[in-house]
Amino acid sequence: MDRESTPHGKVRAMRVHLQNPFLLLALRLLLGLAFVVAGADKIGDPAAFGVSIDNYRILPDFLIPIPATMLPWVELLCGLAILFGILTRGGSLLVSVLLVIFTAAAAAAIVRGLDISCGCFTQDPGAAALGWGKVWENLGLLCAGLILLYAGEGSLSLQHYLRKDTRADSPPAG
Amino acid sequence: MQTVQTAVREALVILAAAVLLALVYSGITQKGLFGRPEPPSFSSESEAPTTPETISIDEAEELFASGKAVFIDTRDELSYREGHIRGAIHVSLLDLPLRIESLKALAAEKTLVPYCNGTRCHSSMEFGGRLFAAGIPNVKVFFGGWEEWTASQLPTERSAP
């Protein structure tokens, strides 16, 4: 984790690019909005989301109400955290873990030939069928999540301003 | 190392908040985890006249042996292809509106017996209810479904992929 210890100049240059506040803001908007929208859509109707989860045929029936109830809230809070840049690393970590699970589930469903819709942003059973596009989409979001996990929220974030405030308010040490 | 610790700590904060909110929300709205879907009743006395009769595994076996019934698999298509009650046809809830006329014709000669996975699934009840509502009285829901049927080792078959 020590940034200065790498002998490789190119790697260091890339790390500097990854710290670009505008890049981090753009990634946060993308990832944050995606998860806020995904979470908000599902929160009101856990039963419908439960059907979507059931369609993947991964979990036994009696476990399904747990993710159907919890997952939308996790998605919403992670999305908000990333969007506003508060607890960004934590949100990015959770989102990245979720995306790995979602991607594996989607790939497994496609490989097994399940003809289901994603249940990602809408629970409408008439929505387009799950396909490899969704896997790529998820991997793209995962990249954004991992960059944010590594680089943090950047300076264009609420956390940055809060931190500045507390630093200004706190009495000088010593 | 500190970054990782921060990330994990923050993740736990978000997770805890999300779980708390989900539990509170579910408790207040009675949806999801704390939801109470009405358990379908097995006794025919307590049933409203708008819902079809449910039958036990014994009655289902009798109907199967008599050949006077058509079993309707209301599960997803993959499950159907992997195995279903011998002679059953596959009609999902989504397909029902398209098939209702042909099912009506079928019901003139035979009893329609929708079934799904078992007691934890509701699509057979829903299916039977919709058939009933569409004016097909000759419907008996086999609520024990695929689980009871296979547990009793009654005849099944697979579809060619």
Side-chain angles (χ1 to χ4, degrees):
Chain A
M1 287 293 145
D2 188 357
R3 239 159 259 164
E4 310 309 321
S5 66
T6 166
H8 214 294
K10 272 186 187 165
V11 174
R12 203 178 309 158
M14 204 180 99
R15 286 182 169 180
V16 172
H17 283 307
L18 287 183
Q19 302 283 359
N20 183 318
F22 293 100
L23 170 75
L24 294 178
L25 179 64
L27 291 178
R28 275 179 25 230
L29 289 178
L30 172 80
L31 194 60
L33 277 177
F35 271 77
V36 167
V37 171
D41 175 71
K42 297 168 197 151
I43 277 178
D45 198 349
F49 184 41
V51 173
S52 293
I53 299 176
D54 193 23
N55 284 342
Y56 280 85
R57 311 207 321 152
I58 291 173
L59 289 179
D61 286 1
F62 69 95
L63 283 181
I64 284 176
I66 299 173
T69 309
M70 306 285 178
L71 205 50
W73 286 95
V74 177
E75 287 183 333
L76 179 70
L77 291 194
C78 284
L80 288 174
I82 293 171
L83 199 56
F84 288 103
I86 293 180
L87 305 177
T88 309
R89 283 210 164 93
S92 305
L93 176 63
L94 279 177
V95 155
S96 301
V97 171
L98 287 179
L99 282 168
V100 170
I101 298 173
F102 295 166
T103 308
I110 297 168
V111 169
R112 288 187 295 162
L114 297 186
D115 181 19
I116 61 178
S117 56
C118 180
C120 305
F121 295 106
T122 171
Q123 308 309 312
D124 179 1
L130 184 66
W132 288 110
K134 179 56 70 180
V135 172
W136 292 118
E137 186 185 308
N138 278 352
L139 289 177
L141 290 175
L142 179 60
C143 284
L146 292 177
I147 292 173
L148 289 172
L149 178 60
Y150 164 73
E153 64 279 347
S155 56
L156 299 170
S157 66
L158 208 48
Q159 188 144 352
H160 183 77
Y161 288 101
L162 292 177
R163 202 181 296 144
K164 231 195 305 193
D165 278 359
T166 44
R167 222 180 278 156
D169 290 345
S170 58
Chain B
M1 225 35 233
Q2 183 148 22
T3 318
V4 178
Q5 278 172 3
T6 314
V8 171
R9 203 168 47 233
E10 289 179 359
L12 289 177
V13 170
I14 296 176
L15 205 56
V19 168
L20 196 70
L21 281 170
L23 290 177
V24 169
Y25 177 80
S26 178
I28 291 174
T29 60
Q30 301 280 295
K31 286 181 191 171
L33 205 51
F34 297 136
R36 297 186 211 301
E38 70 296 357
S41 61
F42 285 97
S43 61
S44 41
E45 294 97 78
S46 62
E47 265 170 13
T50 48
T51 57
E53 189 185 337
T54 58
I55 55 173
S56 67
I57 176 81
D58 297 328
E59 290 167 281
E61 193 182 352
E62 243 168 67
L63 268 173
F64 178 79
S66 74
K68 288 180 191 153
V70 176
F71 285 75
I72 303 174
D73 194 315
T74 65
R75 300 173 301 161
D76 62 292
E77 202 178 339
L78 186 74
S79 303
Y80 173 79
R81 274 189 269 146
E82 282 175 353
H84 50 261
I85 294 177
R86 188 179 292 164
I89 57 174
H90 178 254
V91 185
S92 71
L93 273 176
L94 284 175
D95 300 334
L96 180 57
L98 300 169
R99 306 276 295 265
I100 195 88
E101 288 307 320
S102 62
L103 288 175
K104 253 183 201 169
L106 200 58
E109 296 163 18
K110 304 206 170 187
T111 306
L112 303 185
V113 185
Y115 72 93
C116 53
N117 262 323
T119 47
R120 283 194 308 269
C121 70
H122 292 234
S123 70
S124 60
M125 286 297 286
E126 176 77 29
F127 198 98
R130 289 201 204 165
L131 289 179
F132 215 71
I136 304 177
N138 209 6
V139 179
K140 292 181 175 175
V141 178
F142 172 34
F143 195 64
W146 178 243
E147 284 171 5
E148 275 192 14
W149 190 265
T150 47
S152 305
Q153 304 191 323
L154 291 165
T156 63
E157 65 183 2
R158 294 165 64 96
S159 305

